[in-house]
Amino acid sequence: STARFRVVMAGRRAGKTRLAIWEMIIFALSHPGTLIWYLAPTYGQAKSICWRKLLKIIPKEVILKAHETELYIEFANGSLIELKGCDNENTLRGRSPDFVVLDETAYMKQHIWEEIIRPSLVDRQGRALFIGTPYGKNWFWKLWQSACLGMDKTFEAFRFTTFENPFLPASEKDIARRQTKNALIYKQEYLAEPQSHEGLVYPEFTPE
């Protein structure tokens, strides 16, 4: 996809973060001197989810400096990848990133994107990749749905289930379905189908 903004809704363990890591590395190497942000709901999550995987994948010869305390990697070509959390909003203001990854987008507040991140992309025409497993039909789902409808041509949407990940054992699909008693949870966490829990006393109940 060449869309400026891509929205990827996918099941758990579908490979979302690995996709994000490769996207950031490719962008950093092909666009010298650019600023790339990886955002997670919290700073702690950014470190635990992404940091070690990022260091493991980036070729050592292209790294100029890696700072684990401040969570940034400086490339020999001048590009910079920074890991940040949305729990400290003030650290996201005043900068102009060229590419932003929002990981676990459904668990972020909507205004983080609309009031802070989106305005910061204006001057450099920055790009964004939204990834995550749905969390009900909140703003992430609405953004994905809008992109599916093609209402804004700068957006494109994608959806993948957990089991489309070719590196997972085929047997896990049947086991996970059998062990997940709540059908709504199974659909949301594995099939990436947002579920509304409002008004449901017994989520397992179906008319059939």
Side-chain angles (χ1 to χ4, degrees):
S1 171
T2 58
R4 183 180 176 187
F5 304 111
R6 291 163 295 160
V7 187
V8 181
M9 185 174 288
R12 301 281 291 276
R13 314 314 304 161
K16 301 182 296 297
T17 300
R18 189 164 291 269
L19 165 67
I21 289 172
W22 277 110
E23 287 275 346
M24 291 189 294
I25 294 172
I26 292 169
F27 192 93
L29 293 176
S30 58
H31 299 81
T34 51
L35 175 62
I36 300 104
W37 278 0
Y38 170 89
L39 301 184
T42 69
Y43 188 77
Q45 284 178 298
K47 184 174 184 178
S48 63
I49 293 173
C50 186
W51 179 253
R52 293 194 182 280
K53 293 178 183 176
L54 192 58
L55 282 179
K56 187 176 181 180
I57 294 176
I58 299 177
K60 299 295 185 291
E61 60 270 20
V62 303
I63 297 178
L64 184 64
K65 184 179 181 180
H67 200 296
E68 186 168 359
T69 302
E70 297 184 15
L71 298 184
Y72 72 79
I73 297 174
E74 186 176 353
F75 288 71
N77 69 355
S79 292
L80 189 68
I81 293 180
E82 296 182 346
L83 278 59
K84 294 180 174 292
C86 294
D87 48 346
N88 190 352
E89 299 178 12
N90 290 331
T91 64
L92 305 177
R93 297 180 182 274
R95 304 285 297 281
S96 297
D98 298 277
F99 178 43
V100 179
V101 171
L102 295 89
D103 198 351
E104 296 297 353
T105 310
Y107 293 88
M108 297 177 184
K109 297 177 181 177
Q110 184 173 354
H111 80 272
I112 294 290
W113 163 246
E114 294 183 351
E115 296 179 21
I116 301 176
I117 302 302
R118 182 60 185 91
S120 73
L121 302 176
V122 171
D123 57 336
R124 299 174 67 88
Q125 293 185 302
R127 306 168 69 85
L129 171 64
F130 305 82
I131 59 175
T133 301
Y135 182 60
K137 295 183 177 181
N138 65 2
W139 78 275
F140 176 49
W141 172 76
K142 292 177 181 177
L143 185 71
W144 177 84
Q145 189 180 53
S146 174
C148 285
L149 296 174
M151 299 170 67
D152 185 335
K153 299 304 180 183
T154 63
F155 276 83
E156 191 169 357
F158 305 86
R159 185 175 73 87
F160 302 101
T161 71
T162 295
F163 309 110
E164 288 178 78
N165 182 345
F167 298 101
L168 296 179
S171 60
E172 276 298 294
K173 182 175 183 179
D174 291 333
I175 295 173
R177 180 66 189 92
R178 189 167 61 249
Q179 294 178 347
T180 308
K181 304 303 181 184
N182 189 323
L184 298 185
I185 292 177
Y186 178 80
K187 289 179 179 179
Q188 180 164 280
E189 301 300 320
Y190 293 98
L191 304 184
E193 296 178 1
Q195 301 295 310
S196 177
H197 298 272
E198 296 179 4
L200 295 178
V201 180
Y202 299 104
E204 295 84 0
F205 175 80
T206 62
E208 294 81 5

